[in-house]
CSV table of all heavy atoms in Angstrom, one decimal:
chain,number,residue,atom,x,y,z
A,1,ALA,N,-10.5,3.2,3.1
A,1,ALA,CA,-9.7,3.1,4.3
A,1,ALA,C,-10.3,2.2,5.3
A,1,ALA,O,-9.6,1.5,6.0
A,1,ALA,CB,-9.4,4.5,4.8
A,2,GLU,N,-11.6,2.4,5.5
A,2,GLU,CA,-12.3,1.5,6.5
A,2,GLU,C,-12.2,0.0,6.1
A,2,GLU,O,-12.0,-0.8,6.9
A,2,GLU,CB,-13.8,1.9,6.6
A,2,GLU,CG,-14.0,3.2,7.3
A,2,GLU,CD,-15.4,3.7,7.2
A,2,GLU,OE1,-16.2,3.3,6.3
A,2,GLU,OE2,-15.8,4.5,8.2
A,3,LEU,N,-12.4,-0.3,4.8
A,3,LEU,CA,-12.4,-1.6,4.3
A,3,LEU,C,-11.0,-2.2,4.5
A,3,LEU,O,-10.8,-3.3,4.9
A,3,LEU,CB,-12.8,-1.7,2.8
A,3,LEU,CG,-12.8,-3.1,2.2
A,3,LEU,CD1,-13.7,-4.0,2.9
A,3,LEU,CD2,-13.2,-2.9,0.7
A,4,TRP,N,-9.9,-1.4,4.1
A,4,TRP,CA,-8.6,-1.9,4.2
A,4,TRP,C,-8.2,-2.3,5.7
A,4,TRP,O,-7.5,-3.2,6.0
A,4,TRP,CB,-7.6,-0.9,3.7
A,4,TRP,CG,-7.1,-1.1,2.3
A,4,TRP,CD1,-5.8,-1.0,1.9
A,4,TRP,CD2,-7.9,-1.4,1.1
A,4,TRP,NE1,-5.7,-1.2,0.5
A,4,TRP,CE2,-7.0,-1.5,0.0
A,4,TRP,CE3,-9.2,-1.6,0.9
A,4,TRP,CZ2,-7.4,-1.8,-1.3
A,4,TRP,CZ3,-9.6,-1.9,-0.4
A,4,TRP,CH2,-8.7,-2.0,-1.5
A,5,HIS,N,-8.7,-1.4,6.6
A,5,HIS,CA,-8.5,-1.7,8.0
A,5,HIS,C,-9.3,-3.0,8.4
A,5,HIS,O,-8.7,-3.8,9.1
A,5,HIS,CB,-9.0,-0.5,8.9
A,5,HIS,CG,-9.0,-0.8,10.3
A,5,HIS,ND1,-7.8,-1.0,11.0
A,5,HIS,CD2,-10.0,-0.8,11.2
A,5,HIS,CE1,-8.1,-1.2,12.3
A,5,HIS,NE2,-9.4,-1.1,12.4
A,6,ARG,N,-10.5,-3.1,8.0
A,6,ARG,CA,-11.3,-4.3,8.4
A,6,ARG,C,-10.7,-5.6,7.9
A,6,ARG,O,-10.7,-6.6,8.6
A,6,ARG,CB,-12.7,-4.2,7.8
A,6,ARG,CG,-13.7,-5.2,8.4
A,6,ARG,CD,-15.1,-4.9,8.1
A,6,ARG,NE,-15.5,-3.8,7.3
A,6,ARG,CZ,-16.0,-3.9,6.1
A,6,ARG,NH1,-16.4,-5.1,5.6
A,6,ARG,NH2,-16.3,-2.8,5.3
A,7,VAL,N,-10.1,-5.6,6.7
A,7,VAL,CA,-9.5,-6.9,6.2
A,7,VAL,C,-8.1,-7.1,6.7
A,7,VAL,O,-7.5,-8.2,6.5
A,7,VAL,CB,-9.6,-7.0,4.6
A,7,VAL,CG1,-11.0,-6.9,4.2
A,7,VAL,CG2,-8.8,-5.9,3.9
A,8,GLY,N,-7.5,-6.1,7.3
A,8,GLY,CA,-6.1,-6.2,7.8
A,8,GLY,C,-5.0,-5.7,7.0
A,8,GLY,O,-3.8,-6.0,7.2
A,9,TRP,N,-5.3,-5.0,5.9
A,9,TRP,CA,-4.3,-4.4,5.1
A,9,TRP,C,-3.7,-3.1,5.7
A,9,TRP,O,-2.7,-2.6,5.2
A,9,TRP,CB,-4.8,-4.1,3.7
A,9,TRP,CG,-5.1,-5.4,2.9
A,9,TRP,CD1,-4.4,-6.6,3.1
A,9,TRP,CD2,-6.0,-5.6,1.9
A,9,TRP,NE1,-4.9,-7.6,2.3
A,9,TRP,CE2,-5.9,-7.0,1.5
A,9,TRP,CE3,-6.9,-4.8,1.3
A,9,TRP,CZ2,-6.7,-7.5,0.5
A,9,TRP,CZ3,-7.7,-5.4,0.3
A,9,TRP,CH2,-7.6,-6.7,-0.1
A,10,ARG,N,-4.4,-2.6,6.7
A,10,ARG,CA,-3.9,-1.4,7.5
A,10,ARG,C,-4.2,-1.7,8.9
A,10,ARG,O,-5.2,-2.3,9.3
A,10,ARG,CB,-4.5,-0.1,7.0
A,10,ARG,CG,-4.2,0.4,5.6
A,10,ARG,CD,-2.8,0.8,5.5
A,10,ARG,NE,-2.5,1.4,4.2
A,10,ARG,CZ,-2.2,0.7,3.1
A,10,ARG,NH1,-2.2,-0.6,3.1
A,10,ARG,NH2,-1.9,1.4,2.0
A,11,ASP,N,-3.3,-1.2,9.8
A,11,ASP,CA,-3.5,-1.4,11.3
A,11,ASP,C,-4.5,-0.4,11.9
A,11,ASP,O,-4.8,-0.5,13.1
A,11,ASP,CB,-2.2,-1.4,12.0
A,11,ASP,CG,-1.5,-0.1,11.9
A,11,ASP,OD1,-1.9,0.8,11.2
A,11,ASP,OD2,-0.4,0.0,12.5
A,12,ARG,N,-5.0,0.6,11.1
A,12,ARG,CA,-5.9,1.6,11.5
A,12,ARG,C,-6.6,2.2,10.3
A,12,ARG,O,-6.1,1.9,9.2
A,12,ARG,CB,-5.2,2.7,12.3
A,12,ARG,CG,-4.1,3.4,11.5
A,12,ARG,CD,-3.3,4.4,12.3
A,12,ARG,NE,-2.1,4.8,11.7
A,12,ARG,CZ,-2.0,5.5,10.6
A,12,ARG,NH1,-3.1,6.0,10.0
A,12,ARG,NH2,-0.8,5.9,10.1
A,13,ILE,N,-7.6,3.0,10.5
A,13,ILE,CA,-8.2,3.7,9.4
A,13,ILE,C,-7.3,4.9,9.1
A,13,ILE,O,-7.2,5.8,9.9
A,13,ILE,CB,-9.7,4.1,9.7
A,13,ILE,CG1,-10.5,2.9,9.9
A,13,ILE,CG2,-10.2,5.0,8.5
A,13,ILE,CD1,-11.9,3.2,10.4
A,14,VAL,N,-6.7,4.8,7.9
A,14,VAL,CA,-5.7,5.9,7.6
A,14,VAL,C,-6.4,7.1,6.9
A,14,VAL,O,-7.5,6.9,6.4
A,14,VAL,CB,-4.6,5.3,6.7
A,14,VAL,CG1,-3.8,4.2,7.4
A,14,VAL,CG2,-5.2,4.8,5.3
A,15,PRO,N,-5.7,8.2,6.9
A,15,PRO,CA,-6.3,9.4,6.2
A,15,PRO,C,-6.4,9.2,4.7
A,15,PRO,O,-5.7,8.3,4.1
A,15,PRO,CB,-5.2,10.5,6.5
A,15,PRO,CG,-4.4,10.0,7.6
A,15,PRO,CD,-4.4,8.5,7.6
A,16,ASN,N,-7.3,9.9,4.1
A,16,ASN,CA,-7.6,9.7,2.7
A,16,ASN,C,-6.3,9.9,1.9
A,16,ASN,O,-6.1,9.2,0.9
A,16,ASN,CB,-8.7,10.7,2.2
A,16,ASN,CG,-10.0,10.3,2.7
A,16,ASN,OD1,-10.2,9.2,3.3
A,16,ASN,ND2,-11.0,11.2,2.5
A,17,GLU,N,-5.5,10.9,2.2
A,17,GLU,CA,-4.3,11.1,1.4
A,17,GLU,C,-3.4,9.9,1.4
A,17,GLU,O,-2.7,9.6,0.4
A,17,GLU,CB,-3.5,12.3,1.9
A,17,GLU,CG,-2.4,12.8,1.1
A,17,GLU,CD,-2.8,13.0,-0.4
A,17,GLU,OE1,-3.8,13.5,-0.7
A,17,GLU,OE2,-1.9,12.6,-1.3
A,18,GLU,N,-3.4,9.2,2.5
A,18,GLU,CA,-2.5,8.0,2.6
A,18,GLU,C,-3.1,6.8,1.9
A,18,GLU,O,-2.4,6.0,1.3
A,18,GLU,CB,-2.3,7.6,4.1
A,18,GLU,CG,-1.4,6.4,4.3
A,18,GLU,CD,-1.1,6.1,5.7
A,18,GLU,OE1,-1.1,7.0,6.6
A,18,GLU,OE2,-0.8,4.9,6.0
A,19,ILE,N,-4.4,6.7,1.8
A,19,ILE,CA,-5.0,5.5,1.1
A,19,ILE,C,-5.2,5.7,-0.4
A,19,ILE,O,-5.3,4.8,-1.1
A,19,ILE,CB,-6.4,5.2,1.8
A,19,ILE,CG1,-6.8,3.7,1.4
A,19,ILE,CG2,-7.5,6.1,1.3
A,19,ILE,CD1,-6.0,2.7,2.2
A,20,LYS,N,-5.1,7.0,-0.8
A,20,LYS,CA,-5.3,7.3,-2.2
A,20,LYS,C,-4.2,6.6,-3.0
A,20,LYS,O,-3.0,6.6,-2.7
A,20,LYS,CB,-5.1,8.8,-2.4
A,20,LYS,CG,-5.4,9.3,-3.8
A,20,LYS,CD,-5.4,10.8,-3.8
A,20,LYS,CE,-5.9,11.3,-5.2
A,20,LYS,NZ,-5.9,12.7,-5.3
A,21,CYS,N,-4.7,6.0,-4.1
A,21,CYS,CA,-3.7,5.2,-5.0
A,21,CYS,C,-3.0,6.2,-5.9
A,21,CYS,O,-3.5,7.0,-6.6
A,21,CYS,CB,-4.5,4.2,-5.9
A,21,CYS,SG,-3.4,3.3,-7.0
A,22,LYS,N,-1.7,6.1,-5.8
A,22,LYS,CA,-0.8,6.9,-6.6
A,22,LYS,C,-0.2,6.1,-7.7
A,22,LYS,O,0.7,6.5,-8.4
A,22,LYS,CB,0.2,7.6,-5.8
A,22,LYS,CG,-0.4,8.6,-4.8
A,22,LYS,CD,0.6,9.1,-3.8
A,22,LYS,CE,0.0,10.1,-2.8
A,22,LYS,NZ,-0.8,9.5,-1.8
A,23,GLY,N,-0.6,4.8,-7.8
A,23,GLY,CA,-0.1,3.9,-8.8
A,23,GLY,C,1.2,3.3,-8.5
A,23,GLY,O,1.9,3.8,-7.6
A,24,CYS,N,1.5,2.2,-9.2
A,24,CYS,CA,2.8,1.6,-9.0
A,24,CYS,C,3.9,2.3,-9.8
A,24,CYS,O,3.6,2.8,-10.9
A,24,CYS,CB,2.8,0.1,-9.5
A,24,CYS,SG,1.8,-0.9,-8.4
A,25,SER,N,5.1,2.4,-9.3
A,25,SER,CA,6.2,2.9,-10.1
A,25,SER,C,7.5,2.3,-9.6
A,25,SER,O,7.5,1.6,-8.6
A,25,SER,CB,6.2,4.5,-9.9
A,25,SER,OG,6.7,4.8,-8.6
A,26,SER,N,8.5,2.5,-10.4
A,26,SER,CA,9.8,2.0,-10.0
A,26,SER,C,10.4,2.6,-8.7
A,26,SER,O,11.3,2.1,-8.2
A,26,SER,CB,10.8,2.1,-11.2
A,26,SER,OG,10.9,3.5,-11.5
A,27,ASN,N,9.8,3.7,-8.3
A,27,ASN,CA,10.2,4.4,-7.1
A,27,ASN,C,9.5,3.9,-5.8
A,27,ASN,O,9.8,4.3,-4.7
A,27,ASN,CB,10.1,5.9,-7.2
A,27,ASN,CG,11.0,6.4,-8.4
A,27,ASN,OD1,12.1,5.9,-8.6
A,27,ASN,ND2,10.4,7.3,-9.1
A,28,LYS,N,8.4,3.2,-6.0
A,28,LYS,CA,7.5,2.8,-4.9
A,28,LYS,C,8.0,1.6,-4.2
A,28,LYS,O,8.5,0.7,-4.9
A,28,LYS,CB,6.1,2.5,-5.5
A,28,LYS,CG,5.1,2.2,-4.4
A,28,LYS,CD,3.7,2.0,-5.0
A,28,LYS,CE,2.8,1.6,-3.9
A,28,LYS,NZ,1.4,1.3,-4.4
A,29,GLN,N,8.0,1.6,-2.9
A,29,GLN,CA,8.4,0.4,-2.2
A,29,GLN,C,7.3,-0.6,-2.3
A,29,GLN,O,6.2,-0.3,-2.1
A,29,GLN,CB,8.7,0.8,-0.7
A,29,GLN,CG,9.2,-0.4,0.1
A,29,GLN,CD,9.6,0.0,1.5
A,29,GLN,OE1,9.3,1.1,1.9
A,29,GLN,NE2,10.2,-1.0,2.2
A,30,CYS,N,7.7,-1.8,-2.6
A,30,CYS,CA,6.8,-2.9,-2.8
A,30,CYS,C,6.8,-3.8,-1.6
A,30,CYS,O,7.9,-4.2,-1.1
A,30,CYS,CB,7.1,-3.7,-4.0
A,30,CYS,SG,6.2,-5.2,-4.3
A,31,THR,N,5.6,-4.2,-1.0
A,31,THR,CA,5.5,-5.0,0.1
A,31,THR,C,6.2,-6.4,-0.1
A,31,THR,O,6.8,-7.0,0.8
A,31,THR,CB,4.0,-5.3,0.5
A,31,THR,OG1,3.4,-4.1,0.6
A,31,THR,CG2,3.9,-6.1,1.7
A,32,TYR,N,6.2,-6.8,-1.4
A,32,TYR,CA,6.7,-8.1,-1.7
A,32,TYR,C,8.1,-8.0,-2.3
A,32,TYR,O,8.7,-9.0,-2.8
A,32,TYR,CB,5.8,-8.8,-2.8
A,32,TYR,CG,4.4,-8.9,-2.3
A,32,TYR,CD1,3.4,-8.2,-2.9
A,32,TYR,CD2,4.0,-9.7,-1.2
A,32,TYR,CE1,2.0,-8.3,-2.5
A,32,TYR,CE2,2.7,-9.8,-0.8
A,32,TYR,CZ,1.7,-9.1,-1.5
A,32,TYR,OH,0.4,-9.2,-1.1
A,33,GLN,N,8.7,-6.8,-2.4
A,33,GLN,CA,10.0,-6.6,-2.9
A,33,GLN,C,10.1,-6.9,-4.4
A,33,GLN,O,11.2,-7.2,-4.9
A,33,GLN,CB,11.2,-7.3,-2.2
A,33,GLN,CG,11.4,-6.8,-0.8
A,33,GLN,CD,10.5,-7.5,0.2
A,33,GLN,OE1,10.2,-8.7,0.2
A,33,GLN,NE2,10.0,-6.7,1.2
A,34,LEU,N,9.0,-6.9,-5.1
A,34,LEU,CA,9.0,-7.2,-6.5
A,34,LEU,C,9.5,-6.1,-7.4
A,34,LEU,O,10.1,-6.4,-8.4
A,34,LEU,CB,7.6,-7.6,-7.0
A,34,LEU,CG,7.0,-8.8,-6.3
A,34,LEU,CD1,5.6,-9.1,-6.8
A,34,LEU,CD2,7.8,-10.0,-6.4
A,35,VAL,N,9.3,-4.9,-7.0
A,35,VAL,CA,9.8,-3.8,-7.8
A,35,VAL,C,11.4,-3.8,-7.9
A,35,VAL,O,12.0,-3.8,-8.9
A,35,VAL,CB,9.4,-2.4,-7.3
A,35,VAL,CG1,10.1,-1.2,-8.0
A,35,VAL,CG2,7.9,-2.2,-7.4
A,36,GLU,N,11.9,-4.0,-6.7
A,36,GLU,CA,13.4,-4.1,-6.6
A,36,GLU,C,13.9,-5.4,-7.3
A,36,GLU,O,14.9,-5.4,-8.0
A,36,GLU,CB,13.8,-4.2,-5.1
A,36,GLU,CG,13.4,-3.0,-4.3
A,36,GLU,CD,12.0,-3.1,-3.7
A,36,GLU,OE1,11.2,-4.0,-4.0
A,36,GLU,OE2,11.7,-2.1,-2.9
A,37,CYS,N,13.2,-6.5,-7.2
A,37,CYS,CA,13.6,-7.7,-7.8
A,37,CYS,C,13.6,-7.7,-9.3
A,37,CYS,O,14.5,-8.2,-10.0
A,37,CYS,CB,12.7,-8.9,-7.3
A,37,CYS,SG,13.3,-10.5,-7.7
A,38,THR,N,12.5,-7.1,-9.9
A,38,THR,CA,12.5,-7.0,-11.4
A,38,THR,C,13.6,-6.1,-11.9
A,38,THR,O,14.2,-6.4,-12.9
A,38,THR,CB,11.1,-6.4,-11.9
A,38,THR,OG1,10.8,-5.2,-11.2
A,38,THR,CG2,10.0,-7.4,-11.7
A,39,LYS,N,13.9,-5.0,-11.1
A,39,LYS,CA,15.1,-4.2,-11.5
A,39,LYS,C,16.4,-5.0,-11.5
A,39,LYS,O,17.2,-5.0,-12.4
A,39,LYS,CB,15.2,-3.0,-10.6
A,39,LYS,CG,14.3,-1.9,-10.8
A,39,LYS,CD,14.7,-0.8,-9.8
A,39,LYS,CE,13.6,0.3,-9.7
A,39,LYS,NZ,14.0,1.3,-8.7
A,40,GLU,N,16.5,-5.8,-10.4
A,40,GLU,CA,17.7,-6.6,-10.2
A,40,GLU,C,17.9,-7.6,-11.4
A,40,GLU,O,19.0,-7.9,-11.8
A,40,GLU,CB,17.6,-7.3,-8.9
A,40,GLU,CG,18.8,-7.8,-8.3
A,40,GLU,CD,18.5,-8.4,-6.9
A,40,GLU,OE1,18.2,-7.6,-5.9
A,40,GLU,OE2,18.5,-9.6,-6.8
């Protein structure tokens, strides 16, 4: 969480539960809209 904040991937140091990776899935919102695009 500290590293993600430092490099600019988060605007603050987020709680552990928020930074924890839950993996990619077809239900996850993608920053690049690729999940939606591949479905389309």
